[in-house]
Amino acid sequence: MSQLESIYQAVLDGNAAGAQAGVKAAIAEGVAPDVILKEGLIAAMGEVGRLFEENEYFVPEMLVSARAMQSGLALLKPLLADSGAAPAGKIIVGTVKGDLHDIGKNLVAMMLEGAGFEVVDLGTDVTPEKFVKAVTEHKPNLIGMSALLTTTMPSMTGTIKALEEAGLREQVKVMIGGAPVTDGFAKQIGADGYSPDASSAVRLAKSLLG
Ligand code: B1M
């Protein structure tokens, strides 16, 4: 079994120690960090989602797989971060109200940090009010919202409305992402941009700031 296959299998099995061992070994073998991420960790989470849809996995299995993925991701973090990048701007990130999925959001935050952004991470289940309060407090250039559930996407709309009502909308650019989110949805709710994955999120953030 290759190191990528063993990482994939460890995440499927919810085996955090195995995922870490696999990531360490792959790094030692010189496998590129983005390949470990995409072909090992992210591919396995995609399969976990499929197994959940097929009723072969349930929430506990998803949870232990998520933990295994996060422990592998922690080892990749320093390698995915560019070194010595100039400060590129300040961004507040969070997973929207009602939504507890944070792996994708953490990955986006990690890549943004690596690209030189100062990132304020509000965590998960972030209400529109909390986003507004954080904008007042931290004065960011950008807000990045993540949603993984179709049922929580409307909270993105709610946050944009809350920013407008607080008179803050013109001060920040808003970017959104997450598996069910689309470019069309971003346009519909008046966000400034959408990106499908973490590396394009960095390009989008940079382009939004000109
Ligand atoms: Co949940 N879950 N989950 N889950 N979960 C999904 C999302 C689901 C698609 C599974 C399925 O049915 N196939 C489904 C949603 C269906 C829908 O709404 N259409 C689902 C469901 C139903 C649920 C529950 C309701 C289950 C239940 O309780 N019955 C429940 C909801 C809890 C809640 O949030 N209130 C639930 C719970 C959980 C766990 C807690 C067990 C766990 C999350 C653990 C954690 O995050 N700490 C979990 C997991 C792990 C998943 C799957 C399997 C994997 C998600 C993931 O981490 N992917 C997921 C199935 C799937 O996505 N295939 C599923 C890997 C990650 C790297 O990708 O998050 O897409 P992703 O992020 C990407 C891009 O989307 C993008 O960049 C990232 C990196 O490339 N991106 C952005 C993300 N945010 C961005 C922001 C940006 C830009 C890009 O700008 C700001």
Side-chain angles (χ1 to χ4, degrees), residues 150-161:
T150 44
T151 50
T152 57
M153 286 165 62
S155 187
M156 293 177 154
T157 320
T159 302
I160 291 177
K161 282 201 180 124

Side-chain angles (χ1 to χ4, degrees), residues 2-195:
S2 74
Q3 293 306 343
L4 290 176
E5 284 166 346
S6 75
I7 294 166
Y8 182 94
Q9 195 56 49
V11 172
L12 275 192
D13 295 342
N15 174 0
Q20 285 204 321
V23 170
K24 273 186 195 155
I27 294 170
E29 278 182 11
V31 183
D34 61 320
V35 172
I36 300 175
L37 181 64
K38 284 185 194 141
E39 294 179 23
L41 297 170
I42 292 183
M45 286 313 287
E47 177 63 1
V48 169
R50 193 190 68 75
L51 291 168
F52 180 73
E53 275 170 25
E54 302 283 319
N55 288 324
E56 286 186 46
Y57 271 23
F58 298 94
V59 172
E61 284 87 358
M62 276 209 288
L63 201 51
V64 286
S65 288
R67 287 192 186 135
M69 160 136 190
Q70 306 249 39
S71 59
L73 201 54
L75 293 174
L76 285 183
K77 185 175 178 178
L79 304 175
L80 289 169
D82 291 339
S83 57
K90 192 192 270 191
I91 179 165
I92 287 177
V93 297
T95 304
V96 298
K97 183 183 172 192
D99 202 322
L100 302 176
H101 296 85
D102 67 356
I103 297 176
K105 181 265 298 168
N106 292 346
L107 201 48
V108 169
M110 196 186 281
M111 300 289 272
L112 285 165
E113 269 178 9
F117 283 85
E118 182 183 346
V119 178
V120 179
D121 187 347
L122 302 182
T124 58
D125 193 17
V126 182
T127 60
E129 297 72 29
K130 202 169 169 193
F131 273 113
V132 167
K133 189 165 174 270
V135 170
T136 313
E137 192 180 329
H138 297 284
K139 302 191 178 12
N141 312 97
L142 277 161
I143 289 186
M145 287 186 274
S146 179
L148 262 286
L149 299 171
T150 44
T151 50
T152 57
M153 286 165 62
S155 187
M156 293 177 154
T157 320
T159 302
I160 291 177
K161 282 201 180 124
L163 287 168
E164 283 166 1
E165 283 164 13
L168 296 169
R169 181 64 184 94
E170 298 306 314
Q171 295 176 29
V172 282
K173 299 283 185 191
V174 176
M175 56 186 273
I176 63 174
V181 178
T182 61
D183 196 34
F185 179 71
K187 290 193 172 88
Q188 185 191 320
I189 68 169
D192 298 298
Y194 152 80
S195 69

